[in-house]
Amino acid sequence: MESYWAEFLTVAIVHLLAVASPGPDFAIMVRQALCQSRRNALLTAVGIGAGILVHVTYSLLGIGLLIQQSLILFSVLKVVGALYLTWIAIQCLRSKGGGVHVDTSNAQRQSGPAAFRLGFLTNALNPKATLFFVSLFSVLISPETPTAIQAAYGVYIAMATGIWFTLVATFFTLPRVRRGFNRFGIWLDRMMGGILLLLAGQLLFSTVAGASEAPAAGR
């Protein structure tokens, strides 16, 4: 077991850099923390962590390499992820304002399962997460590392991700932080919607660019 500590530390450091970089997970988490109750924000954080297990599972089964090597499969994943981000962005852009103010007595607020599902699907359908785990399990983790150890790495990453976004949720649900963002109201929703649309557009553009380059590479 001691011989795998160096490998584990490498995995932990790379994951720390990846999870701290802004992306769909972070954008969704910030909006949840500002627009929903703390309970729902924390459930979304748990959902994001649980979504990691999807990537870990197919990576352990070797399906990750298949996705990477199949232009069609990876393109489909990108399109589905982009459409999902676009759908969330539209919900933000259609906000009528005041959405940052949280009224915990409002019966129309998001349900717990819906909050968890939002986090889970945002991460599970994130093509960047797929690339991260394909690289992780094909480059950083030795093929000779026992499957049980690789699974332990995956569980750690899922837990660390959940803890990170729990901290993000806790920070942005602080009353003082919320009061500061309440001044912007509708503009925060517009900004989050715009960011998610840009991320979705980037995914679609990379899909189209990849498809156009494939025939040229085969000439």
Side-chain angles (χ1 to χ4, degrees):
M1 182 67 184
E2 295 181 359
S3 61
Y4 298 110
W5 275 111
E7 186 176 72
F8 170 74
L9 289 176
T10 301
V11 169
I13 292 173
V14 171
H15 169 257
L16 176 63
L17 296 175
V19 77
S21 63
D25 292 342
F26 187 82
I28 291 298
M29 192 67 259
V30 170
R31 187 174 187 275
Q32 284 291 96
L34 293 174
C35 301
Q36 295 291 323
S37 63
R38 174 171 289 186
R39 171 179 173 272
N40 281 355
L42 292 176
L43 284 172
T44 299
V46 173
I48 292 175
I52 291 290
L53 296 177
V54 174
H55 303 292
V56 172
T57 299
Y58 66 64
S59 296
L60 289 174
L61 294 175
I63 300 175
L65 290 176
L66 178 62
I67 295 175
Q68 182 191 39
Q69 294 170 2
S70 173
L71 178 62
I72 295 178
L73 282 178
F74 195 54
S75 295
V76 169
L77 178 62
K78 284 184 177 181
V79 171
V80 172
L83 291 177
Y84 184 68
L85 290 179
T86 300
W87 179 80
I88 300 174
I90 291 174
Q91 307 308 307
C92 295
L93 295 174
R94 291 177 61 185
S95 171
K96 297 180 180 179
V100 177
H101 177 69
V102 178
D103 181 5
T104 55
S105 64
N106 184 3
Q108 298 300 317
R109 71 181 187 275
Q110 191 179 44
S111 67
F116 175 86
R117 184 169 60 248
L118 177 63
F120 179 83
L121 291 177
T122 298
N123 186 274
L125 296 176
N126 185 0
K128 289 187 176 180
T130 299
L131 282 176
F132 172 79
F133 278 92
V134 167
S135 301
L136 189 70
F137 280 86
S138 63
V139 178
L140 295 181
I141 299 178
S142 171
E144 299 178 356
T145 301
T147 302
I149 299 296
Q150 295 186 36
Y153 293 165
V155 171
Y156 162 79
I157 292 174
M159 293 179 60
T161 300
I163 292 172
W164 163 254
F165 284 110
T166 294
L167 293 175
V168 173
T170 301
F171 174 76
F172 282 99
T173 52
L174 291 174
R176 181 177 299 180
V177 176
R178 276 183 167 169
R179 284 195 297 269
F181 278 95
N182 277 341
R183 302 172 186 173
F184 300 100
I186 191 173
W187 298 110
L188 176 69
D189 278 330
R190 298 294 186 266
M191 181 179 69
M192 289 300 177
I195 291 173
L196 291 173
L197 277 180
L198 286 175
L199 290 170
Q202 184 182 37
L203 282 177
L204 289 175
F205 177 78
S206 65
T207 302
V208 173
S212 63
E213 289 175 1
R219 292 175 186 171

